[in-house]
């Protein structure tokens, strides 16, 4: 279809990604991914071919005179609510050629994605994006679930990874007594089992560890953990706590193309712990060893006790001010109905910020 049918921009076509678009797509995305031809190609395949929940069928590419001038990626994420699983597509890797930025092409490409999803009966589209595009998206029918707070640790000087991560010596946690160790290959099955056990405990005693977002939450099973760890353009730093069995894990993330002294933060994209003491020991180890100038961790769905632990370990809490310019860089989730009739959960629940639990999910976890 042509964009001029949608937004009055002549000479531009928007169509579904095809295999023959690969070389042009990865070259066009290099300003965002910065992985070069080989790295970008591996990343594209990881995200849109090897994703366990969705292939590249909803990726769209815009061309002008045969030249790529825009692309919108859509990959799959799996969520659960009341014993049912829901595969929800996520918007990502949206990029527009400089000469078309600020124009209608951005929203036209998203509209094309929404149209294709609706035709296939998919009722929702998610976007864990930055807030820069939020005003335009809200005007186009999106609902904002965020922004929300995060814990930040800023260092006077960047910490460099001076030895291979798994070579760090294991320690006994000062609070829990559990062994905390850095590992090169995460134990996906053990992590998934811990998530299941703790989730069952949350359901039995929701007041203890789930102060918000008791509704839909991301599925973190072994398949998901293995897929995420295979990201070719990410550096992951895995920690495990426990002796005979896993009592907790923490996963730090940096872009593989950013040096340790770059201003890009190191993000704790996931952390589960059987007790507050194990949580404290994992975070303390991470703060001592994770590289970078700045460390981030989402706090939206952490229990107050664990937010207090982060503060006691030196983290500064950034909370939304509800002033757009000041909240611009806080994490955020946008959701849009496609027009297809949802079977469940109910639309009013999906549009409620309190229905979402994003614990264990970070936008950077999929970058």
């Amino acid at each position: 279809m042509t964009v001029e049918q949608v937004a009055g921009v002549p000479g531009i076509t928007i169509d579904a990604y095809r295999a023959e678009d690969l070389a042009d797509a990865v070259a066009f995305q290099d300003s965002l991914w910065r992985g070069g031809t080989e790295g970008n190609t591996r990343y594209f395949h990881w995200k849109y071919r090897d994703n366990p929940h969705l292939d590249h069928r909803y990726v769209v590419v815009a061309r002008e005179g045969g030249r790529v001038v825009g692309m919108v990626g859509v990959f799959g994420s799996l969520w659960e609510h009341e014993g049912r699983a829901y595969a929800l597509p996520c918007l990502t890797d949206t990029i527009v050629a400089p000469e078309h930025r600020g124009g209608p092409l951005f929203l036209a490409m998203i509209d094309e994605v929404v149209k294709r999803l609706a035709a296939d009966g998919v009722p929702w589209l998610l976007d864990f994006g930055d807030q820069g595009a939020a005003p335009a998206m809200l005007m186009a029918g999106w609902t904002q679930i965020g922004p929300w707070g995060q814990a930040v640790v800023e260092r006077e000087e960047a910490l460099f990874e001076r030895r291979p991560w798994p070579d760090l010596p294991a320690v006994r946690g000062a609070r829990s007594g559990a062994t905390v160790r850095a590992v090169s290959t995460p134990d996906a099955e053990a992590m998934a089992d811990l998530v299941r056990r703790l989730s069952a405990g949350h359901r039995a005693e929701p007041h203890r560890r789930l102060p918000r977002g008791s509704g839909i939450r991301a599925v973190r099973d072994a398949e998901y953990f293995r897929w995420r760890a295979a990201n070719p353009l990410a550096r992951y730093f895995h920690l495990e706590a426990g002796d005979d069995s896993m009592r907790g894990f923490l996963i730090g993330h940096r872009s593989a193309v950013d040096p340790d002294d770059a201003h890009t933060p190191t993000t704790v994209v996931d952390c589960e712990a059987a007790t507050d003491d194990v949580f404290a020991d994992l975070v303390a180890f991470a703060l001592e060893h994770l590289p970078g100038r700045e460390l981030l961790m989402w706090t939206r769905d952490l229990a107050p006790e664990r937010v207090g632990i982060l503060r006691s370990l030196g983290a500064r809490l950034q909370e939304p001010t509800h002033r757009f310019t000041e909240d611009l860089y806080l994490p955020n989730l946008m959701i849009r109905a496609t027009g297809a009739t949802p079977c469940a959960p109910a639309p009013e629940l999906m549009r409620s910020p309190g229905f979402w639990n994003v614990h264990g999910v970070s936008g950077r976890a999929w970058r």
Side-chain angles (χ1 to χ4, degrees), residues 150-163:
Q150 57 188 6
V152 183
V153 173
E154 296 166 321
R155 294 172 171 145
E156 293 185 4
E157 296 183 0
L159 181 65
F160 290 83
E161 186 184 14
R162 302 192 183 280
R163 65 176 111 177

Side-chain angles (χ1 to χ4, degrees), residues 93-128:
D93 299 328
T94 302
I95 186 168
V96 176
E99 65 270 24
H100 290 291
R101 292 171 190 167
L105 181 56
F106 167 70
L107 290 179
M109 289 191 296
I110 296 176
D111 285 344
E112 178 64 12
V113 170
V114 169
K115 176 184 174 182
R116 292 172 182 270
L117 290 169
D120 289 344
V122 182
W124 305 105
L125 176 62
L126 309 183
D127 180 21
F128 279 96

Side-chain angles (χ1 to χ4, degrees), residues 64-146:
E64 183 176 37
R67 182 175 67 94
V68 174
V69 293
M71 176 179 153
V72 170
V74 181
F75 73 98
S77 60
L78 194 64
W79 300 74
E80 60 185 352
H81 177 240
E82 295 183 344
R84 297 184 61 181
Y86 302 88
L88 297 178
C90 292
L91 199 70
T92 184
D93 299 328
T94 302
I95 186 168
V96 176
E99 65 270 24
H100 290 291
R101 292 171 190 167
L105 181 56
F106 167 70
L107 290 179
M109 289 191 296
I110 296 176
D111 285 344
E112 178 64 12
V113 170
V114 169
K115 176 184 174 182
R116 292 172 182 270
L117 290 169
D120 289 344
V122 182
W124 305 105
L125 176 62
L126 309 183
D127 180 21
F128 279 96
D130 59 55
Q131 295 243 66
M137 295 174 75
L138 289 171
M139 293 178 65
W142 292 75
T143 298
Q144 184 167 260
I145 303 301

Side-chain angles (χ1 to χ4, degrees), residues 78-80 199 202 210 213 215-220 272 357 359:
L78 194 64
W79 300 74
E80 60 185 352
S199 296
H202 294 158
L210 213 58
I216 196 166
R217 59 188 297 141
V219 173
R220 290 174 293 153
E272 284 286 4
N357 185 290
H359 178 65

Side-chain angles (χ1 to χ4, degrees), residues 127 129-139 141-148 300 320 322-324 327-328 330-336 350-354 356:
D127 180 21
D130 59 55
Q131 295 243 66
M137 295 174 75
L138 289 171
M139 293 178 65
W142 292 75
T143 298
Q144 184 167 260
I145 303 301
W148 53 79
R300 182 187 186 273
H322 306 293
R323 293 188 292 271
F324 173 74
D327 293 346
L328 187 62
L330 288 179
N332 187 44
L333 168 64
M334 306 286 285
I335 178 170
R336 179 169 172 178
M350 294 290 280
R351 294 190 178 95
S352 170
W356 291 83

Side-chain angles (χ1 to χ4, degrees), residues 20-21 40 50 65 69 73 97 150 207 226 233 242 270 293 329-330 366:
E20 54 266 32
D21 294 323
N40 291 350
D50 303 333
V69 293
Q150 57 188 6
H207 62 285
R226 284 191 290 267
L233 292 186
D270 204 345
R293 292 178 179 273
Y329 299 105
L330 288 179
W366 296 320

Side-chain angles (χ1 to χ4, degrees), residues 277-289:
D277 287 343
V278 173
F279 176 85
D281 290 336
L282 284 165
V283 173
F285 190 105
L287 292 179
E288 183 177 355
H289 294 291

